[in-house]
Amino acid sequence: MADEDTGDATPFLPDRLSLKALRESAAGCRGCHLWRPATQTVFGEGRKSSRLMLVGEQPGDKEDQQGKPFVGPASRELDRGLEAAGIDRAEAYLTNVVKHFKFEERGRRRIHQTPKRFEVEGCRPWLDAELAVVRPEALVLLGAIAAKALLGSSFKVTKQRGRLLDSELAPVVIATVHPSSILRQPDEERRVAEREAFADDMRAVAEALRKV
Ligand code: SF4
């Protein structure tokens, strides 16, 4: 049994990299403290043959309960954006940079807490392994945590969203906001505008995928 809570998922990785082996091994990951209060590991979902990989920050409350990525309220916004761009969600591989839900309890509610850099880095071996197995043609980073984790801490999503980025991670790399940010807009007008901007970013992904 690998040491627990060392801040590094590496000792928990399987010898053979396949999505099935990774998922099974990740279910028992104790690489950092985040597994303790969470319900379960939420590993990525999708086929090895997926041309598109979408990477978010971490599972939320619903994802933690169901053990699946992107099933909460933000996932409905993601689905809208994908649909507007003509992208079939079932064809994409969906995952997060951190595989356990980080939260604080307030009464009976569990409030999302942003993972710290050392937590993102500790969990990164799982994402690197997913990238190595799926080898997507297009990689979409959803939100600042995912974008900074893979593109460097100086990367600014607000300045570079929706643009084709020069990266060795995949032939097409695009960063945009996390779909949960649409839900956080203060009024309907801004929600509609953000929804349309997100759909535009997804259209840029679809367009780039057509050219790969
Ligand atoms: S957050 Fe990542 S590194 Fe930490 S226990 Fe969960 S899977 Fe392992």
Side-chain angles (χ1 to χ4, degrees):
M1 177 78 188
D3 288 343
E4 293 185 359
D5 295 8
T6 57
D8 181 11
T10 308
F12 295 88
L13 259 68
D15 295 334
R16 199 176 62 83
L17 292 191
S18 72
L19 288 180
K20 183 169 179 288
L22 285 167
R23 191 172 292 113
E24 287 171 2
S25 298
C29 184
R30 306 287 183 258
C32 78
H33 67 114
L34 292 180
W35 72 273
R36 291 182 183 275
T39 308
Q40 57 193 315
T41 305
V42 181
F43 201 68
E45 198 172 75
R47 298 194 199 104
K48 180 178 184 293
S49 58
S50 302
R51 295 180 66 209
L52 169 64
M53 183 184 282
L54 297 148
V55 182
E57 179 195 289
Q58 61 156 338
D61 185 60
K62 289 275 184 301
E63 286 89 355
D64 171 76
Q65 290 169 33
Q66 296 184 32
K68 293 159 84 71
F70 293 98
V71 292
S75 83
R76 284 192 283 282
E77 295 296 340
L78 174 65
D79 291 348
R80 281 186 194 216
L82 292 174
E83 202 175 308
I87 297 172
D88 183 356
R89 172 175 164 147
E91 299 288 324
Y93 186 91
L94 298 159
T95 194
N96 287 299
V97 287
V98 171
K99 312 297 192 208
H100 274 105
F101 178 34
K102 182 178 179 186
F103 59 93
E104 70 173 322
E105 284 179 296
R106 279 193 215 150
R108 295 171 67 184
R109 294 178 66 209
R110 303 192 303 169
I111 309 296
H112 161 276
Q113 278 194 311
T114 302
K116 296 207 183 312
R117 195 161 152 192
F118 75 91
E119 292 159 340
V120 171
E121 283 171 5
C123 205
R124 173 79 188 261
W126 293 117
L127 179 60
D128 287 342
E130 289 173 295
L131 279 165
V133 172
V134 177
R135 290 190 291 126
E137 288 170 26
L139 177 66
V140 178
L141 306 171
L142 301 167
I145 297 290
K148 285 178 190 290
L150 287 165
L151 300 171
S153 57
S154 61
F155 186 85
K156 292 226 172 358
V157 168
T158 42
K159 287 204 175 137
Q160 299 185 69
R161 67 178 291 180
R163 291 192 207 155
L164 286 175
L165 302 166
D166 194 17
S167 166
E168 291 179 355
L169 293 165
V172 172
V173 177
I174 289 179
T176 180
V177 296
H178 193 279
S180 61
S181 68
I182 299 168
L183 300 170
R184 287 197 299 272
Q185 295 302 311
D187 55 53
E188 185 58 16
E189 192 181 336
R190 275 176 274 192
R191 262 192 298 283
V192 169
E194 260 309 302
R195 204 168 272 146
E196 193 45 40
F198 186 72
D200 280 346
D201 292 344
M202 292 301 118
R203 289 185 190 104
V205 173
E207 175 68 19
L209 256 179
R210 276 193 285 276
K211 293 178 182 162
V212 174

